[in-house]
Amino acid sequence: MVFDPASIAARDPGGMLRLISLFPRMCTEAWSLASGVSPPPRPRAVVVAGMGGSGIGGDLLRAVLYEEAAPPVVVVKDYRVPGWVGPETLLFACSYSGETEETLAAYQEAAGRGARCVAITSGGSLLRRARERGDPAVVVPPGLPPRAALPYMFLPMVAILAAAGAVRSFDEDAAEAADVAASVAEELAPGRPENPARALADSLVGRLPLIYSATPLLEPAAQRWKDQINENAKTLAAWNTFPELNHNETVGWGLDPDLARRCHVVILRDPREPPRLARRVAITRDLAFCRAAGVDEVWARGRGLLARLCSIIVVGDFVSWYLALLRGVDPTPVPVIDELKRRLAQA
Ligand code: F6R
């Protein structure tokens, strides 16, 4: 398939390519969005309530703060918040549309328990409720598919926690992330020769993509790859992470060669992954993934974890976009999610 401007315009009428290419610029803009929010007191724990494209920002926050002296981060993808949530908890209520019922319910419960709450949204009921309660809100640019607004939904949380004195400054990390993401996006644009995202998407057509992160720190990137393949390319995918998958999923590759031959493994690697994990990846390729239709490795780039995560997320976003076009589907609409929400609203 030729990816020239005319066929891209016809096959991607919602302009998803433009949005995924804007990821680096969104990172820069997102960083300044938080400056309008007066920092809350340093919390004992952080809860991020959000679903789908808005919830993955919470998973990224948890990963980015994992190695830091920071309050624990718990991600809630549910209507309820944990029993310990109270006045010393900071809850980020993240819903791009501001209408996601799970997030609104979690927000209400946390607020009722006296938690400090910050809304991150483009509007809707979430913004209205935050304004009524006097809670701070990060208002992100409207009119995007929520999953395309990831930098806006995620990075302000890091900036707010830094302003609250709960974590160190991430200014340099955020600048590096935007720079590295920009280089990756430029390299993967249609028309670039030797395009690894296009090549990987070619291999994934007709196969079940299994996205494995070589380290738990890249876990949210694996999840994001899966989600983007689901929503942009409208096909099934699964994700897992080392070392956990060595304790269960590796066995599943055993005695079903036909099924294994329909799977394509993508391993997300981190240049800073510990040698024991690298060893596990090598052994597992040998023991199990040799049965797959194919195995590819994608390496994160950059120094800081934020840059490494963003770099590999941008690759996944492009792979999902190429896969959508190769499969002949429009990347932008997600009619099944819309229909589900419509039916739930009626019930
Ligand atoms: C759509 C998408 C979905 C939504 C999810 C929650 O692009 O990615 O996963 O993010 O249905 O909706 P919001 O983000 O509006 O709370």
Side-chain angles (χ1 to χ4, degrees):
M1 189 191 147
V2 185
F3 285 89
D4 59 87
S7 58
I8 290 172
R11 288 160 191 264
D12 178 17
M16 183 57 80
L17 174 65
R18 197 182 129 264
L19 297 179
I20 61 177
S21 308
L22 282 174
F23 187 103
R25 200 198 300 168
M26 288 185 198
C27 288
T28 310
E29 285 171 17
W31 204 242
S32 51
L33 280 179
S35 59
V37 171
S38 48
R42 189 183 197 284
R44 278 178 76 104
V46 177
V47 173
V48 183
M51 306 302 299
S54 296
I56 193 83
D59 300 302
L60 284 164
L61 183 73
R62 188 181 52 202
V64 165
L65 299 190
Y66 192 79
E67 293 177 321
E68 304 286 334
V73 177
V74 171
V75 184
V76 168
K77 300 185 180 188
D78 191 3
Y79 295 81
R80 306 286 316 275
V81 294
W84 46 260
V85 167
E88 289 181 293
T89 310
L90 172 62
L91 178 114
F92 288 108
C94 303
S95 168
Y96 183 80
S97 62
E99 299 297 352
T100 297
E101 62 179 36
E102 300 93 314
T103 311
L104 290 170
Y107 175 32
Q108 186 169 343
E109 190 179 26
R113 299 232 211 107
R116 296 268 176 169
C117 298
V118 175
I120 305 185
T121 182
S122 69
S125 305
L126 180 55
L127 184 58
R128 202 185 59 248
R129 289 187 199 178
R131 295 243 155 100
E132 281 163 8
R133 286 182 34 82
D135 287 335
V138 176
V139 184
V140 308
L144 302 170
R147 63 191 181 282
L150 176 59
Y152 295 139
M153 300 303 292
F154 157 50
L155 287 171
M157 293 190 279
V158 184
I160 289 169
L161 288 172
V167 297
R168 66 174 174 83
S169 165
F170 274 80
D171 290 353
E172 281 180 19
D173 303 65
E176 190 208 3
D179 284 351
V180 174
S183 319
V184 175
E186 202 178 307
E187 287 165 25
L188 302 181
R192 291 295 297 246
E194 306 284 316
N195 189 322
R198 161 79 206 263
L200 179 49
D202 269 323
S203 312
L204 295 179
V205 175
R207 294 175 178 170
L208 176 68
L210 298 179
I211 317 297
Y212 294 136
S213 67
T215 95
L217 287 179
L218 291 190
E219 197 175 292
Q223 191 175 340
R224 166 77 174 183
W225 272 62
K226 181 211 82 93
D227 294 349
Q228 289 289 76
I229 290 171
N230 294 151
E231 292 183 64
N232 290 344
K234 278 84 181 164
T235 188
L236 291 172
W239 70 277
N240 207 333
T241 185
F242 284 91
E244 172 62 18
L245 68 84
N246 279 156
H247 300 274
N248 34 65
E249 190 159 326
T250 312
V251 185
W253 285 88
L255 292 175
D256 200 343
D258 290 341
L259 191 55
R261 266 198 298 275
R262 287 155 65 189
C263 300
H264 191 102
V265 171
V266 181
I267 310 171
L268 306 186
R269 308 288 307 258
D270 185 348
R272 304 211 172 187
E273 68 198 21
R276 284 304 279 176
L277 284 172
R279 189 82 199 111
R280 281 179 181 273
V281 172
I283 297 171
T284 312
R285 282 190 70 140
D286 202 37
L287 281 178
F289 301 161
C290 56
R291 300 192 170 88
V295 184
D296 274 282
E297 296 196 345
V298 178
W299 285 85
R301 292 192 357 208
R303 277 188 323 280
L305 179 55
L306 197 51
R308 288 171 3 245
L309 279 163
C310 288
S311 72
I312 212 155
I313 281 174
V314 171
V315 181
D317 285 4
F318 273 90
V319 169
S320 71
W321 181 84
Y322 283 110
L323 186 57
L325 268 67
L326 290 167
R327 286 172 46 74
V329 294
D330 180 351
T332 304
V334 281
V336 178
I337 297 180
D338 297 340
E339 172 65 8
L340 190 111
K341 288 182 179 177
R342 197 187 59 76
R343 288 201 207 176
L344 276 167
Q346 278 172 350

